[in-house]
Amino acid sequence: MKKNINPLVSIIVNCHNGSTFLDDCVKSILRQTYKNWELIFWDNKSSDNSFNIIKKFKDKRIKRFKSKSFYTLYKSRNLALKKCKGKYISFLDADDMWIKDKLKDQVREISKDSLVKMVYSNYYVLINKTKNKYLKHKKILPSGSIAQKMLSNYDIGIITTLVDKKIFEKKKFNISYNIIGDFDLFLNLCIKHKVLAIQKPHAIYRRHDDNFSSKRIDLYILELSRWIKQNYQKKIYKNYSFIFIKILLLKLKIKYLIYKIFKLRLGV
């Protein structure tokens, strides 16, 4: 049977009141040098102009869905996954962007080895206030069986990933999480499958005042604490060390404490 060298890629963009940056996001998809994709745009009950913005793009590859109820991010991603027809799945948030060769490079690399179930890449961080941009990872990103390395230093940005759709037939995002759902799912993937890292940056993560994970350090701490407690004794993790992720949790607690003290001193 002839191998499909240009498989369909489903791109999921979940959006809740993302009108400020949505235009840039969609245009970065339209600029992709790889053309065989579908955009699954899931509007999570936005009250702003997001759906009108996406409607202005007339490309037939864009498929629009508007939720009648508001759901958590990972519930929304699971609902969007049901609409995907591609061999591979990619994710892009409404405030972020892709480099034009993102899909082309990743489809080429993942097609070389059937044992590789996910490709991820480096990315830029764009400080929205100053417009300054820097490379997120200066070190070499790991490939292969990388679960312990991800437990020690989690480097996978969801907006850089390309994932075999079959992964989601066995495991979906855990909807009890609001921040670490991708960490939970991708770490499980890393334990069971080979992963490939591309050192070239393929995305631009926009850092701004409304980034949810930055605003809710308390929730991040709560979810990470619960994840460690629930998974520390599980058989799947019995051969892995949790020491570094526990150190990360301690650093987050200290950071949050300093943040609270600083706000109190300001009288906020």
Side-chain angles (χ1 to χ4, degrees), residues 105-265:
D105 290 348
Q106 293 189 335
V107 170
R108 181 187 66 238
E109 293 304 317
I110 201 171
S111 299
K112 292 178 181 179
D113 187 347
S114 62
L115 295 180
V116 172
K117 299 303 178 185
M118 180 173 74
V119 177
Y120 73 107
S121 308
N122 209 336
Y123 61 96
Y124 294 109
V125 177
L126 173 65
I127 309 300
N128 195 58
K129 282 185 177 179
T130 64
K131 305 305 177 186
N132 292 329
K133 185 172 69 173
Y134 64 89
L135 191 64
K136 175 63 176 177
H137 302 295
K138 300 297 194 297
K139 61 182 178 60
I140 299 298
L141 296 171
S143 294
S145 300
I146 65 170
Q148 183 58 67
K149 291 178 180 178
M150 291 300 102
L151 270 170
S152 302
N153 189 14
Y154 187 74
D155 292 330
I156 300 174
I158 189 171
I159 64 171
T160 76
T161 60
L162 181 79
V163 187
D164 191 319
K165 186 184 179 183
K166 291 179 181 178
I167 293 297
F168 298 106
E169 294 172 1
K170 299 176 181 178
K171 184 176 176 64
K172 300 291 194 301
F173 291 105
N174 186 333
I175 63 173
S176 70
Y177 295 125
N178 290 283
I179 293 177
I180 67 165
D182 47 331
F183 165 81
D184 171 66
L185 188 145
F186 291 153
L187 187 57
N188 185 275
L189 184 157
C190 290
I191 288 174
K192 297 177 179 179
H193 304 285
K194 285 177 64 177
V195 172
L196 177 66
I198 298 177
Q199 308 308 318
K200 176 181 176 181
H202 276 136
I204 301 172
Y205 170 78
R206 193 191 304 265
R207 182 171 291 170
H208 54 85
D209 292 339
D210 291 325
N211 288 133
F212 186 67
S213 58
S214 298
K215 290 171 65 177
R216 292 301 310 274
I217 299 176
D218 58 331
L219 184 58
Y220 188 8
I221 291 170
L222 180 65
E223 291 188 1
L224 197 56
S225 299
R226 180 159 57 91
W227 187 91
I228 292 171
K229 184 177 180 180
Q230 290 176 345
N231 290 281
Y232 184 66
Q233 300 294 338
K234 280 189 177 179
K235 186 177 180 181
I236 191 173
Y237 291 108
K238 69 176 182 178
N239 295 321
Y240 297 95
S241 170
F242 274 54
I243 184 64
F244 289 100
I245 197 168
K246 288 181 177 180
I247 291 172
L248 169 62
L249 180 59
L250 178 60
K251 287 179 178 178
L252 286 170
K253 289 179 178 179
I254 293 171
K255 180 180 179 181
Y256 184 62
L257 179 62
I258 292 171
Y259 169 76
K260 293 288 285 185
I261 292 171
F262 182 70
K263 288 198 74 174
L264 286 172
R265 284 178 178 173

